[in-house]
Amino acid sequence: MTTADDDLLHSNLSRWIELNGGKIHTNLALHTPLPSPPSDVKDSGQEQDEINMRLTTDYTHRGIFALKGPIRKGEELIRLPATLALDGAALPVSYCGDVSETTSSASVPNRPRNASNWLRCISSFMHTLYQLEKDPKRSSSVADKAAQELPSSVDYAHYITSLPKKYDSLLNWTTWEIRSFLAGTALGVNALQTDVETKDAAAETSESQHDDALRLRYRTTVVPYLKYLQQNHGMFLSEEDSSNNNSSSMNSNERETKRQKRTEKQDVNLEELYPLFREGCMCISSRAFHMQLHDTKKETNVDNSVTNYHGPYLLPYIDLLNHSPQTSPKHVTTLRRDTDGSFVMIAERNIAIGEEICHSYDVGSPTSQNESNSSFTSAQTLQTYGFVDLEQTPIIDFFLEGKNNCTAIASSSTDAVLTLRSSITPAVLTKSEVCKSCEELSQSTYITEVRNLMQQSGMLEEGWEYWDLPSLSSRDGTRGDALNNLPDELLISLNASLPDELITMCCLNFLPDETLDELLQDEDNVLLNAEVLEDFFLGKLVLQAIINAVKAKLKSYKVQVNYSDRKEDADATALLRVLNEVFENENCLNSSSLCWGENVASDARALSKLKSSNVRNNHGVDKFLYGLVVSLEERACLIEIRKKACDMIDQI
């Protein structure tokens, strides 16, 4: 985008906001700085200019800057009226309609449902795009005749124009990027379920499956609500329906006849809106805000009923501002809501001419009226906004110089460390992973070794016991029911204790039937804590199973890329050349392949080198870094819990 394009977009958007009662500081301007070409990548058999050109393609850092003059502390930067926020507050919460079931081709007619705030917001966004596609030359001076039954007739043409042509969203990551950069992470596993684009022809089948998953969500969750809006509120109508939507002069029979005719063809129309849904998913995920309305005001929806809507909000102009943590010197303002519902941003310090206007995206939670001090994890930031804040990567310090010094962070209770700990992405151990570890341990020689140790040390004479381990078939009964009551996924945070759910899960695999029946005789759910580990035999088994489960989980983060497999992918080849230079002294490569995700110290050093290098200003390297941060954070949590389990098993 050129400077002239920036100026025109900013002028139109600002004028539209001001004509509708808002305010934009006169010294603000939209600006897209030109990227600096990488300079620290060595030539490895290909022209350096060609590599740099490919790596910097499409990179932008568009933002709002104080280009026209300095701004004093306390001056109002932006005031956006609540009426200009694109949200779902005015759409109905309750709805009925023919809801297709995922388990059958049949449908349940007139099934009552409640629409989530997200569903209402994405429906509003989709309708806005749909209106503009029908009439791209709409202007704010022309009222949409078909909008008489709609919750709002605000023209968002200038706002839609300001949105990016391509979103920094995991939906736009290729399968190869997700599998390579987010290998082993919970985010990577979940993202592969809905990833729909790829440049890797070999993954076409897999991609089709991911697309099907997202389409299935659209059909089962979104289409029934859109159908209700189409039938009852005159939304998502064709040109013919829209032009004849004046139902005030019709009797009830005529209105019902017209609705039935629309119904006959609306399924095809709504299915064709899937691309709008996909774009809405990326837009709301990466740009929406959540903030409660001021206590003195309530919002009403199309049914004139009070609704507790606190987001998502798509905020024109405000979403052009880039992120900077509240602790960063780049942070200059915070998003707040005024008593009249307006979204307001005020300069919190003096802003020099040419300085960018940044604020923290991690404010305005649903549980806080104005702002929140909570912190997103790196994975949450990546999933929500499409990036990780690389200026704040404390995980590097955990592993530099080969020191896995997570313990000090995990055990400290200072405010700074508590905040730091809350931003570390937790790892996930699944129930199947834990149970598999228990199965393998029960079939290994470790059981015999523990029994021999107890016999040789005289523990049996002292009253200690061991028992025959239950068969795997016993999981179908009471034991299986107890396991089913435990969560399928366990979050492993950077803390100083083993989760009770993890201990219980292992115990349910090892306890004899009679002991288990005793535990469950009064209640179906049982939760055991670390006290049960004082039993020598059970403690050894549980802790060793945890150690083995973590060891196996850590292997899932390893990635080995063969250069020959990516030779047809020019972008991947260029990226691998950059990584080759970074990892050259880390013993992570050979003549045919490159490896990461195995040695945490090596990965931390690579992260440290890359985040401060010129090659960072491109999507390929940034994606690699984002994934590496999440991977290192999860592995830090696993390494810490493994260390705890090792310390405890040595003390038994």
Side-chain angles (χ1 to χ4, degrees):
M1 181 173 288
T2 65
T3 301
D5 293 332
D6 286 341
D7 292 343
L8 179 60
L9 191 155
H10 186 271
S11 175
N12 290 337
L13 189 59
S14 300
R15 183 173 180 273
W16 172 68
I17 292 173
E18 290 165 354
L19 287 175
N20 284 276
K23 177 185 176 183
I24 303 297
H25 197 287
T26 56
N27 286 347
L28 297 182
L30 180 66
H31 181 53
T32 305
L34 295 176
S36 301
S39 60
D40 58 350
V41 182
K42 299 177 183 178
D43 186 2
S44 300
Q46 186 175 358
E47 289 298 321
Q48 187 64 53
D49 290 343
E50 183 180 346
I51 297 175
N52 293 342
M53 181 64 69
R54 184 177 296 117
L55 288 172
T56 57
T57 298
D58 296 330
Y59 173 76
T60 60
H61 182 66
R62 186 177 69 168
I64 299 297
F65 292 76
L67 292 184
K68 300 178 181 179
I71 300 174
R72 292 182 178 275
K73 178 180 179 179
E75 292 185 23
E76 191 171 83
L77 301 173
I78 306 167
R79 175 173 290 272
L80 183 76
T83 54
L84 295 187
L86 180 50
D87 55 52
L91 293 182
V93 177
S94 300
Y95 68 101
C96 295
D98 290 346
V99 182
S100 297
E101 297 294 331
T102 59
T103 57
S104 171
S105 58
S107 62
V108 181
N110 299 320
R111 176 181 174 181
R113 281 190 168 188
N114 285 334
S116 66
N117 289 347
W118 175 88
L119 178 56
R120 294 156 69 197
C121 182
I122 199 168
S123 299
S124 180
F125 178 80
M126 289 175 64
H127 182 256
T128 299
L129 293 183
Y130 180 73
Q131 286 181 303
L132 291 172
E133 283 190 357
K134 284 198 309 178
D135 186 6
K137 295 183 179 181
R138 290 181 63 201
S139 66
S140 55
S141 62
V142 179
D144 187 2
K145 295 180 180 179
Q148 295 175 0
E149 294 185 41
L150 303 184
S152 171
S153 59
V154 174
D155 191 319
Y156 288 98
H158 292 309
Y159 172 58
I160 299 301
T161 302
S162 74
L163 294 176
K165 298 298 183 284
K166 183 177 181 181
Y167 291 90
D168 290 329
S169 167
L170 285 178
L171 283 174
N172 282 329
W173 284 38
T174 67
T175 293
W176 180 77
E177 288 172 334
I178 293 173
R179 289 175 177 165
S180 300
F181 305 159
L182 291 171
T185 67
L187 186 58
V189 172
N190 293 331
L192 280 173
Q193 296 175 3
T194 55
D195 177 34
V196 299
E197 286 193 353
T198 185
K199 298 178 182 178
D200 188 359
E204 286 179 358
T205 302
S206 177
E207 291 302 333
S208 176
Q209 293 173 354
H210 304 324
D211 194 21
D212 287 345
L214 193 60
R215 285 183 183 274
L216 180 62
R217 181 185 182 191
Y218 174 65
R219 293 191 188 108
T220 58
T221 304
V222 181
V223 168
Y225 187 62
L226 300 185
K227 186 182 296 186
Y228 175 82
L229 297 176
Q230 190 179 56
Q231 291 179 341
N232 296 276
H233 298 285
M235 299 174 68
F236 303 104
L237 302 182
S238 65
E239 291 287 354
E240 179 182 356
D241 290 332
S242 179
S243 61
N244 295 294
N245 193 43
N246 187 2
S247 59
S248 60
S249 61
M250 300 180 186
N251 59 39
S252 59
N253 290 333
E254 289 173 331
R255 282 195 294 269
E256 181 60 26
T257 300
K258 183 174 180 63
R259 179 174 299 175
Q260 290 176 357
K261 288 181 178 179
R262 279 209 309 260
T263 302
E264 292 176 358
K265 60 181 180 179
Q266 70 184 17
D267 283 336
V268 175
N269 292 339
L270 294 177
E271 182 65 27
E272 292 173 353
L273 299 184
Y274 171 74
L276 303 186
F277 166 71
R278 187 175 184 277
E279 182 174 352
C281 287
M282 292 187 289
C283 183
I284 292 173
S285 171
S286 61
R287 304 179 78 81
F289 297 90
H290 292 76
M291 299 191 74
Q292 281 191 344
L293 190 66
H294 193 273
D295 292 341
T296 59
K297 295 183 70 67
K298 297 290 183 181
E299 303 203 29
T300 58
N301 60 15
V302 72
D303 296 328
N304 294 319
S305 59
V306 175
T307 176
N308 182 25
Y309 189 92
H310 47 68
Y313 294 102
L314 291 171
L315 304 180
Y317 197 97
I318 290 174
D319 64 9
L320 291 172
L321 273 64
N322 286 310
H323 166 78
S324 184
Q326 288 183 305
T327 55
S328 170
K330 296 180 181 179
H331 183 273
V332 299
T333 186
T334 301
L335 178 62
R336 295 181 171 86
R337 294 202 74 174
D338 208 343
T339 54
D340 65 353
S342 297
F343 298 87
V344 181
M345 307 191 83
I346 297 173
E348 297 175 356
R349 59 173 176 80
N350 292 334
I351 303 171
I353 185 171
E355 190 172 357
E356 184 175 8
I357 310 301
C358 294
H359 73 121
S360 174
Y361 291 172
D362 186 19
V363 296
S365 70
T367 57
S368 172
Q369 177 179 323
N370 284 325
E371 58 184 289
S372 166
N373 291 324
S374 66
S375 178
F376 280 178
T377 66
S378 295
Q380 288 172 329
T381 304
L382 179 57
Q383 184 177 34
T384 305
Y385 299 113
F387 70 90
V388 171
D389 183 7
L390 295 174
E391 300 306 315
Q392 296 199 353
T393 50
I395 198 66
I396 293 177
D397 298 330
F398 288 1
F399 297 122
L400 283 184
E401 300 177 3
K403 297 177 181 178
N404 298 335
N405 56 339
C406 305
T407 304
I409 300 295
S411 60
S412 177
S413 60
T414 64
D415 290 341
V417 169
L418 288 174
T419 301
L420 174 63
R421 238 164 51 197
S422 67
S423 67
I424 298 296
T425 303
V428 173
L429 276 178
T430 66
K431 185 188 299 182
S432 61
E433 289 169 339
V434 175
C435 289
K436 180 180 179 181
S437 176
C438 293
E439 289 176 19
E440 292 175 348
L441 186 67
S442 65
Q443 298 170 4
S444 71
T445 59
Y446 183 78
I447 309 300
T448 302
E449 293 172 4
V450 174
R451 288 173 176 170
N452 291 340
L453 176 62
M454 295 178 70
Q455 292 173 346
Q456 295 169 5
S457 62
M459 295 182 66
L460 299 181
E461 288 76 7
E462 296 175 3
W464 295 95
E465 298 178 343
Y466 60 75
W467 53 88
D468 292 331
L469 298 184
S471 64
L472 299 180
S473 60
S474 64
R475 287 186 185 166
D476 298 332
T478 305
R479 193 182 306 271
D481 293 338
L483 280 169
N484 288 336
N485 287 329
L486 292 172
D488 292 329
E489 295 183 342
L490 301 177
L491 290 182
I492 308 300
S493 301
L494 194 64
N495 55 41
S497 61
L498 300 179
D500 291 347
E501 293 83 357
L502 179 58
I503 294 173
T504 304
M505 198 173 289
C506 293
C507 288
L508 290 176
N509 280 277
F510 296 132
L511 286 172
D513 293 337
E514 57 272 19
T515 303
L516 187 63
D517 291 339
E518 258 182 62
L519 286 172
L520 299 175
Q521 63 182 355
D522 296 326
E523 54 182 336
D524 294 333
N525 298 328
V526 60
L527 198 62
L528 306 174
N529 57 33
E531 291 181 1
V532 301
L533 303 181
E534 294 176 3
D535 179 272
F536 185 86
F537 187 62
L538 182 61
K540 285 284 188 180
L541 267 57
V542 168
L543 292 171
Q544 190 61 50
I546 292 174
I547 293 170
N548 292 352
V550 170
K551 181 180 179 181
K553 182 70 175 183
L554 286 170
K555 291 181 179 179
S556 69
Y557 294 87
K558 180 180 177 180
V559 176
Q560 184 163 340
V561 179
N562 294 320
Y563 299 128
S564 58
D565 294 341
R566 308 309 308 172
K567 63 182 180 180
E568 302 300 328
D569 187 336
D571 291 335
T573 300
L575 173 62
L576 290 174
R577 289 183 183 279
V578 174
L579 299 183
N580 183 80
E581 299 296 333
V582 174
F583 283 104
E584 65 178 344
N585 297 320
E586 302 297 340
N587 297 318
C588 295
L589 73 159
N590 55 45
S591 58
S592 61
S593 65
L594 179 64
C595 175
W596 60 82
E598 181 177 30
N599 186 304
V600 289
S602 171
D603 289 348
R605 284 191 291 268
L607 176 60
S608 180
K609 292 176 185 177
L610 280 172
K611 71 188 283 286
S612 59
S613 69
N614 290 337
V615 296
R616 250 219 56 216
N617 290 343
N618 65 78
H619 288 304
V621 173
D622 275 357
K623 288 178 181 178
F624 173 80
L625 291 176
Y626 299 159
L628 196 57
V629 170
V630 175
S631 173
L632 280 169
E633 289 183 352
E634 289 193 11
R635 282 184 280 164
C637 298
L638 292 171
I639 288 171
E640 178 60 20
I641 200 172
R642 182 180 64 183
K643 183 178 185 303
K644 292 294 178 184
C646 289
D647 290 344
M648 294 174 71
I649 203 171
D650 289 341
Q651 295 171 7
I652 294 179

mmCIF file of all heavy atoms in Angstrom, residues 90-106:
data_model
loop_
_atom_site.group_PDB
_atom_site.id
_atom_site.type_symbol
_atom_site.label_atom_id
_atom_site.label_comp_id
_atom_site.label_asym_id
_atom_site.label_seq_id
_atom_site.Cartn_x
_atom_site.Cartn_y
_atom_site.Cartn_z
ATOM 1 N N ALA A 90 -27.176 -6.074 18.750
ATOM 2 C CA ALA A 90 -28.564 -5.813 18.369
ATOM 3 C C ALA A 90 -29.274 -7.033 17.797
ATOM 4 O O ALA A 90 -30.482 -6.994 17.571
ATOM 5 C CB ALA A 90 -28.607 -4.673 17.352
ATOM 6 N N LEU A 91 -28.547 -8.102 17.535
ATOM 7 C CA LEU A 91 -29.165 -9.296 16.970
ATOM 8 C C LEU A 91 -29.796 -10.145 18.068
ATOM 9 O O LEU A 91 -29.370 -10.110 19.226
ATOM 10 C CB LEU A 91 -28.135 -10.107 16.190
ATOM 11 C CG LEU A 91 -27.588 -9.462 14.918
ATOM 12 C CD1 LEU A 91 -26.621 -10.413 14.229
ATOM 13 C CD2 LEU A 91 -28.697 -9.060 13.972
ATOM 14 N N PRO A 92 -30.810 -10.932 17.715
ATOM 15 C CA PRO A 92 -31.535 -11.708 18.731
ATOM 16 C C PRO A 92 -30.667 -12.782 19.372
ATOM 17 O O PRO A 92 -29.774 -13.348 18.733
ATOM 18 C CB PRO A 92 -32.690 -12.333 17.944
ATOM 19 C CG PRO A 92 -32.217 -12.370 16.527
ATOM 20 C CD PRO A 92 -31.366 -11.140 16.364
ATOM 21 N N VAL A 93 -30.956 -13.054 20.647
ATOM 22 C CA VAL A 93 -30.266 -14.116 21.370
ATOM 23 C C VAL A 93 -30.978 -15.445 21.152
ATOM 24 O O VAL A 93 -30.381 -16.434 20.749
ATOM 25 C CB VAL A 93 -30.170 -13.783 22.868
ATOM 26 C CG1 VAL A 93 -29.518 -14.935 23.630
ATOM 27 C CG2 VAL A 93 -29.400 -12.494 23.091
ATOM 28 N N SER A 94 -32.265 -15.461 21.400
ATOM 29 C CA SER A 94 -33.047 -16.688 21.245
ATOM 30 C C SER A 94 -33.542 -16.821 19.812
ATOM 31 O O SER A 94 -33.939 -15.833 19.190
ATOM 32 C CB SER A 94 -34.236 -16.681 22.207
ATOM 33 O OG SER A 94 -33.795 -16.594 23.543
ATOM 34 N N TYR A 95 -33.510 -18.040 19.320
ATOM 35 C CA TYR A 95 -34.006 -18.272 17.964
ATOM 36 C C TYR A 95 -34.460 -19.710 17.826
ATOM 37 O O TYR A 95 -34.068 -20.593 18.589
ATOM 38 C CB TYR A 95 -32.931 -17.956 16.924
ATOM 39 C CG TYR A 95 -31.743 -18.884 16.906
ATOM 40 C CD1 TYR A 95 -31.633 -19.888 15.950
ATOM 41 C CD2 TYR A 95 -30.722 -18.764 17.841
ATOM 42 C CE1 TYR A 95 -30.529 -20.737 15.918
ATOM 43 C CE2 TYR A 95 -29.626 -19.613 17.824
ATOM 44 C CZ TYR A 95 -29.543 -20.593 16.857
ATOM 45 O OH TYR A 95 -28.462 -21.437 16.841
ATOM 46 N N CYS A 96 -35.319 -19.936 16.858
ATOM 47 C CA CYS A 96 -35.798 -21.273 16.535
ATOM 48 C C CYS A 96 -35.651 -21.489 15.041
ATOM 49 O O CYS A 96 -35.631 -20.539 14.258
ATOM 50 C CB CYS A 96 -37.266 -21.449 16.929
ATOM 51 S SG CYS A 96 -37.588 -21.370 18.701
ATOM 52 N N GLY A 97 -35.552 -22.749 14.649
ATOM 53 C CA GLY A 97 -35.441 -23.051 13.232
ATOM 54 C C GLY A 97 -35.139 -24.501 13.020
ATOM 55 O O GLY A 97 -34.970 -25.274 13.970
ATOM 56 N N ASP A 98 -35.078 -24.929 11.781
ATOM 57 C CA ASP A 98 -34.724 -26.297 11.445
ATOM 58 C C ASP A 98 -33.230 -26.463 11.625
ATOM 59 O O ASP A 98 -32.434 -25.942 10.841
ATOM 60 C CB ASP A 98 -35.102 -26.625 10.001
ATOM 61 C CG ASP A 98 -36.612 -26.695 9.832
ATOM 62 O OD1 ASP A 98 -37.304 -26.749 10.862
ATOM 63 O OD2 ASP A 98 -37.073 -26.669 8.680
ATOM 64 N N VAL A 99 -32.841 -27.165 12.654
ATOM 65 C CA VAL A 99 -31.430 -27.309 13.008
ATOM 66 C C VAL A 99 -30.927 -28.676 12.566
ATOM 67 O O VAL A 99 -31.393 -29.704 13.036
ATOM 68 C CB VAL A 99 -31.222 -27.143 14.534
ATOM 69 C CG1 VAL A 99 -29.755 -27.258 14.872
ATOM 70 C CG2 VAL A 99 -31.804 -25.814 14.994
ATOM 71 N N SER A 100 -29.986 -28.708 11.637
ATOM 72 C CA SER A 100 -29.419 -29.969 11.165
ATOM 73 C C SER A 100 -28.552 -30.575 12.245
ATOM 74 O O SER A 100 -27.769 -29.888 12.898
ATOM 75 C CB SER A 100 -28.582 -29.730 9.896
ATOM 76 O OG SER A 100 -29.405 -29.242 8.853
ATOM 77 N N GLU A 101 -28.694 -31.853 12.437
ATOM 78 C CA GLU A 101 -27.905 -32.552 13.439
ATOM 79 C C GLU A 101 -26.678 -33.187 12.784
ATOM 80 O O GLU A 101 -26.744 -33.661 11.652
ATOM 81 C CB GLU A 101 -28.752 -33.647 14.103
ATOM 82 C CG GLU A 101 -29.947 -33.098 14.870
ATOM 83 C CD GLU A 101 -29.538 -32.284 16.076
ATOM 84 O OE1 GLU A 101 -28.461 -32.563 16.642
ATOM 85 O OE2 GLU A 101 -30.272 -31.372 16.442
ATOM 86 N N THR A 102 -25.569 -33.232 13.495
ATOM 87 C CA THR A 102 -24.333 -33.788 12.932
ATOM 88 C C THR A 102 -24.398 -35.305 12.813
ATOM 89 O O THR A 102 -23.690 -35.900 12.022
ATOM 90 C CB THR A 102 -23.134 -33.418 13.820
ATOM 91 O OG1 THR A 102 -23.362 -33.932 15.133
ATOM 92 C CG2 THR A 102 -22.967 -31.923 13.908
ATOM 93 N N THR A 103 -25.254 -35.942 13.601
ATOM 94 C CA THR A 103 -25.305 -37.399 13.599
ATOM 95 C C THR A 103 -26.352 -37.952 12.655
ATOM 96 O O THR A 103 -26.498 -39.156 12.525
ATOM 97 C CB THR A 103 -25.597 -37.913 15.022
ATOM 98 O OG1 THR A 103 -26.836 -37.326 15.472
ATOM 99 C CG2 THR A 103 -24.487 -37.527 15.970
ATOM 100 N N SER A 104 -27.099 -37.099 12.000
ATOM 101 C CA SER A 104 -28.164 -37.563 11.134
ATOM 102 C C SER A 104 -28.451 -36.529 10.081
ATOM 103 O O SER A 104 -28.210 -35.345 10.252
ATOM 104 C CB SER A 104 -29.430 -37.850 11.962
ATOM 105 O OG SER A 104 -30.532 -38.101 11.111
ATOM 106 N N SER A 105 -28.992 -37.002 8.947
ATOM 107 C CA SER A 105 -29.381 -36.077 7.893
ATOM 108 C C SER A 105 -30.704 -35.424 8.200
ATOM 109 O O SER A 105 -31.133 -34.494 7.525
ATOM 110 C CB SER A 105 -29.479 -36.828 6.558
ATOM 111 O OG SER A 105 -30.417 -37.894 6.667
ATOM 112 N N ALA A 106 -31.397 -35.922 9.233
ATOM 113 C CA ALA A 106 -32.674 -35.325 9.607
ATOM 114 C C ALA A 106 -32.450 -34.011 10.325
ATOM 115 O O ALA A 106 -31.326 -33.640 10.652
ATOM 116 C CB ALA A 106 -33.453 -36.298 10.494
#
